Amino acid sequence: MKRASGVATRKYARGFAAMQGSDFLYNPTDEHRQLREMVNRFGKERVEPQAREFDVRGDFNVPLFKELGELGVMGVTVPAEAGGVGLDATAACIIHEELSKFDAGFALAYLAHSMLFVNNFYNSANEQQREKYLEKVMSGEFIGSMGMSEPSAGTDVLGMQSNAVKKGDYYVLNGGKTWITNATHADVYLVYAKVEGKVSAFILERGMEGFTNGEKIDKCGMRASTMCELAFNDVKIPKENLLGAEGGGVMCMMRNLEIERLTLAAMAVGIATRCVEEAFNYANTRVAFGKPIADFGQIQRHIAEGYAKTEAARALTYTVARTVSPTTQNRIGTDAAKLFATPVAKEVADMSIQVLGGMGYSRDMPVERLWRDAKLLEIGGGTSESHHKNIMKDFRKMM
């Protein structure tokens, strides 16, 4: 990971931790702080200038994405001895928060690669599989994707119909996936399917016979990340591409869902932070009735409540991050963090548009895009309703 020092971050963002005296939570070590500064500078200098263009185009900026490999953050949770950065869930939250301030769609593509593929793959793969793929996905040479959802199996993921049958040295896969982020550009895919009724995980490569991608799915927000359907028609998967044990896919899946939900919550914090900043800056420069609109109580309420909600979401997300690792699980915490933080992003983005008025509704301002982006966070990685169910289920186990 490249280091950055003396980075001039935004005044407002810099003030969060300083005012709260909570740097121990958001930047627990110098390495975490340097990582935040580095990603913030990359976001400001490289990501923000292209954000509107790729949102309008509904396209994925592959060359820019590969720069994240040069930055050294593709394997943030992979141990240093395996070539990764060797950091933790807090570091993953930092990267997702900072990127989302500038382009949440781009951050989502990073999440699909670094969390859904790289982190998941490393913790489930054997040494031969790591030797074959890990360096390529951490350098950005290969783009990774993960296929779990199906047309009739989203939240009810164990109801998936994709099926693989073992035949000699191969598994023969049939079925399909949908809403698969990065799938339009990916080189390698982590795909879940049932073998004799039990979920297993496989590594597929682009170009395997019988494996095809559908057309890019047009969507409301997060348009700088692309998604499509996957179709499997008698795809022959070498037995060496079975990830983990046959029938062990549920463990692989559930372990990774925790860090996925946590980083989605961090994305929500990044969106909300930027929206509070935009509202604050605009309110102090926009004059109405002879004075800045920041002097009006209605505007002050919007900004103050937006700030308070953002800080609450940030504190919960980073508190939970300290409890999540490959060997420690906290499902109720990650469910709670995502359940709370994701509607905050939507509400605060809406608030920001209200403060900016007509300017906020214009595509010339980032808050309109962030408002559209925020909605997906209440759906992807588990709907809000699924978090309600999970939390109640865990409560009952605790009683």
Side-chain angles (χ1 to χ4, degrees):
M1 182 185 74
K2 295 179 182 178
R3 301 295 178 85
S5 59
V7 178
T9 57
R10 291 171 178 266
K11 181 179 180 181
Y12 176 73
R14 190 170 62 237
F16 263 124
M19 288 186 292
Q20 300 300 318
S22 51
D23 212 35
F24 74 95
L25 186 60
Y26 307 136
N27 302 300
T29 69
D30 287 342
E31 197 164 10
H32 288 90
R33 185 179 299 105
Q34 290 166 357
L35 175 67
R36 187 181 296 277
E37 292 172 348
M38 179 182 72
V39 177
N40 182 279
R41 182 165 68 177
F42 179 80
K44 185 174 183 180
E45 295 178 356
R46 301 290 297 132
V47 178
E48 180 147 44
Q50 55 84 64
R52 183 185 178 194
E53 176 189 349
F54 281 84
D55 172 69
V56 171
R57 285 169 48 177
D59 202 3
F60 178 30
N61 190 339
V62 174
L64 182 64
F65 185 77
K66 288 181 179 291
E67 289 184 28
L68 291 173
E70 298 172 12
L71 207 63
V73 297
M74 295 294 206
V76 63
T77 57
V78 175
E81 57 267 26
V85 179
L87 288 176
D88 52 11
T90 296
C93 286
I94 286 170
I95 297 170
H96 287 84
E97 179 189 352
E98 294 302 323
L99 288 177
S100 294
K101 293 175 184 178
F102 305 102
D103 187 345
F106 185 78
L108 186 67
Y110 171 76
L111 185 152
H113 176 88
S114 65
M115 298 294 109
L116 303 191
F117 187 90
V118 177
N119 181 76
N120 200 356
F121 171 79
Y122 177 79
N123 286 304
S124 301
N126 58 41
E127 288 303 318
Q128 291 74 23
Q129 291 166 335
R130 292 173 183 170
E131 181 69 24
K132 185 174 182 179
Y133 295 112
L134 190 59
E135 183 179 350
K136 291 181 178 179
V137 292
M138 288 197 300
S139 69
E141 178 184 348
F142 275 12
I143 294 173
S145 180
M146 186 272 288
M148 182 168 65
S149 296
E150 297 184 358
S152 60
T155 299
D156 180 21
V157 66
L158 298 184
M160 67 176 64
Q161 298 298 309
S162 293
N163 186 65
V165 177
K166 190 171 185 181
K167 294 186 177 181
D169 292 336
Y170 293 87
Y171 289 87
V172 179
L173 174 64
N174 285 281
K177 302 291 179 180
T178 194
W179 317 120
I180 308 305
T181 303
N182 287 3
T184 48
H185 296 85
D187 303 284
V188 62
Y189 304 75
L190 195 162
V191 172
Y192 294 100
K194 288 182 177 177
V195 178
E196 297 183 353
K198 296 182 178 180
V199 177
S200 299
F202 298 92
I203 299 299
L204 276 66
E205 295 183 28
R206 177 178 289 274
M208 283 183 166
E209 186 175 355
F211 174 28
T212 56
N213 296 55
E215 294 295 319
K216 180 179 68 178
I217 297 172
D218 198 14
K219 49 191 168 71
C220 168
M222 300 287 188
R223 291 174 54 81
S225 73
T226 53
M227 59 169 53
C228 70
E229 295 184 346
L230 304 177
F232 315 121
N233 184 20
D234 289 335
V235 181
K236 293 177 68 177
I237 307 173
K239 65 180 183 180
E240 293 80 14
N241 284 32
L242 174 68
L243 195 61
E246 187 176 294
V250 172
M251 178 65 71
C252 171
M253 180 192 304
M254 296 306 174
R255 177 177 57 213
N256 211 66
L257 276 172
E258 293 196 4
I259 198 164
E260 176 186 3
R261 289 168 178 165
L262 192 60
T263 47
L264 287 166
M267 286 182 60
V269 171
I271 289 173
T273 299
R274 177 66 183 274
C275 288
V276 173
E277 178 185 341
E278 292 294 332
F280 177 82
N281 289 339
Y282 184 83
N284 279 282
T285 56
R286 173 73 165 91
V287 174
F289 304 101
K291 57 183 177 180
I293 63 172
D295 290 349
F296 294 101
Q298 302 98 317
I299 301 300
Q300 292 171 357
R301 177 183 176 183
H302 284 313
I303 296 172
E305 290 186 354
Y307 169 77
K309 290 176 180 178
T310 301
E311 280 294 272
R314 184 193 313 279
L316 176 58
T317 299
Y318 281 89
T319 297
V320 173
R322 297 168 74 97
T323 69
V324 174
S325 76
T327 58
T328 58
Q329 282 75 54
N330 185 359
R331 186 175 80 161
I332 194 169
T334 56
D335 272 302
K338 184 172 177 293
L339 176 64
F340 183 78
T342 55
V344 165
K346 185 181 69 176
E347 293 165 14
V348 175
D350 190 81
M351 170 279 294
S352 187
I353 290 177
Q354 194 69 23
V355 170
L356 272 67
M359 284 297 294
Y361 200 63
S362 164
R363 286 200 170 183
D364 287 336
M365 300 297 288
V367 293
E368 178 272 339
R369 166 171 46 83
L370 293 169
W371 181 57
R372 287 184 285 109
D373 291 344
K375 178 58 192 176
L376 180 65
L377 300 178
E378 295 180 310
I379 302 170
T383 62
S384 296
E385 293 77 13
S386 73
H387 302 320
H388 296 149
K389 175 180 68 68
N390 290 344
I391 290 171
M392 286 303 297
K393 184 177 180 179
D394 287 346
F395 271 157
R396 290 189 177 106
K397 289 180 180 178
M398 293 161 60
M399 296 303 173

